[in-house]
Amino acid sequence: DGGITQSPKYLFRKEGQNVTLSCEQNLNHDAMYWYRQDPGQGLRLIYYSQIVNDFQKGDIAEGYSVSREKKESFPLTVTSAQKNPTAFYLCASSIASGASQYFGPGTRLTVL
Amino acid sequence: KNEVEQSPQNLTAQEGEFITINCSYSVGISALHWLQQHPGGGIVSLFMLSSGKKKHGRLIATINIQEKHSSLHITASHPRDSAVYICAVGGGKTSYDKVIFGPGTSLSVIP
């Protein structure tokens, strides 16, 4: 079955540690996105990639980094520079920018 | 003022009731999306529309481009409809088709 997978579902890290969240899709989509969701707020775009080897900052990119070495993979690293990293992180993909986005199940990151 | 607003913020309904969730936006768009987020966090895309009305099962979505307003209706609501419903708008005059998400409406349908 085609879809998007994110792992792990729950992640705990100590303050000051970098952590990488995985996102894989087998939908053959060109565009991929990372969002952050906080209680009572809409999803906010962290980074997006419209094609392999290219990515752009979203609205809240500070403290995050990404790579897009393969079409199917778009990992997100939450660095120690991110002031408030505890949140729910969602990865999405679409066949092209502007098309309907398909979402992964999300990773809930808690920094202790 | 947020670019995408939803009302109500929270909604509790009895099973079988007709439900309406509203979305207003202030930016130019090429498409509007309705999404459903279940308690576990996963998000499912329900509708993408740019004009008129779409129907899927018990769900109906309408959009009025002139008034910059969309509604999501649920007929004969059921407890399994309990979820957060998110309105998102895409497109407009940006460097790419950026999607802006509303804050969501939390729906609880009680038996």
Side-chain angles (χ1 to χ4, degrees):
Chain A
D1 287 334
I4 302 179
T5 56
Q6 291 184 244
S7 60
K9 190 168 177 64
Y10 298 96
L11 190 55
F12 297 87
R13 278 294 181 271
K14 289 184 179 179
E15 193 173 341
Q17 289 182 332
N18 290 356
V19 59
T20 297
L21 281 58
S22 164
C23 177
E24 304 278 331
Q25 54 98 0
N26 61 3
L27 299 165
N28 201 32
H29 285 173
D30 282 321
M32 295 187 76
Y33 313 83
W34 272 107
Y35 295 97
R36 171 185 171 133
Q37 187 178 39
D38 294 283
Q41 295 190 39
L43 278 71
R44 293 183 290 168
L45 182 67
I46 304 172
Y47 267 97
Y48 67 98
S49 169
Q50 294 178 276
I51 200 165
V52 176
N53 292 323
D54 182 62
F55 49 83
Q56 305 295 330
K57 291 182 179 180
D59 299 319
I60 54 166
E62 186 175 349
Y64 299 99
S65 66
V66 293
S67 62
R68 187 85 188 277
E69 297 175 4
K70 299 186 293 183
K71 188 175 185 177
E72 58 271 21
S73 179
F74 191 41
L76 173 75
T77 297
V78 184
T79 75
S80 56
Q82 168 51 234
K83 300 297 181 202
N84 186 20
T86 294
F88 186 60
Y89 291 88
L90 282 155
C91 177
S93 71
S94 63
I95 193 162
S97 176
S100 285
Q101 294 183 18
Y102 292 78
F103 287 84
T107 292
R108 191 166 298 279
L109 172 65
T110 302
V111 174
L112 306 171
Chain B
K1 192 174 190 295
N2 294 330
E3 293 170 300
V4 181
E5 295 188 324
Q6 291 183 232
S7 64
Q9 184 177 354
N10 297 287
L11 181 57
T12 300
Q14 287 288 138
E15 184 174 356
E17 282 186 13
F18 180 83
I19 289 164
T20 296
I21 298 170
N22 297 298
C23 174
S24 298
Y25 54 92
S26 58
V27 295
I29 68 167
S30 59
L32 183 142
H33 309 260
W34 280 102
L35 310 168
Q36 181 190 55
Q37 185 173 29
H38 280 284
I43 292 180
V44 174
S45 180
L46 298 174
F47 295 103
M48 176 172 141
L49 64 165
S50 54
S51 65
K53 174 178 166 179
K54 285 191 176 180
K55 185 175 189 292
H56 185 257
R58 295 179 295 105
L59 302 178
I60 303 167
T62 64
I63 187 169
N64 184 319
I65 297 292
Q66 287 73 29
E67 295 187 5
K68 296 189 174 181
H69 180 269
S70 175
S71 292
L72 176 69
H73 305 285
I74 305 175
T75 62
S77 59
H78 190 275
R80 65 174 173 267
D81 296 326
S82 298
V84 175
Y85 292 85
I86 301 170
C87 171
V89 299
K93 299 181 177 67
T94 56
S95 58
Y96 86 110
D97 286 333
K98 177 178 176 177
V99 178
I100 304 170
F101 295 83
T105 293
S106 179
L107 171 65
S108 179
V109 181
I110 52 179

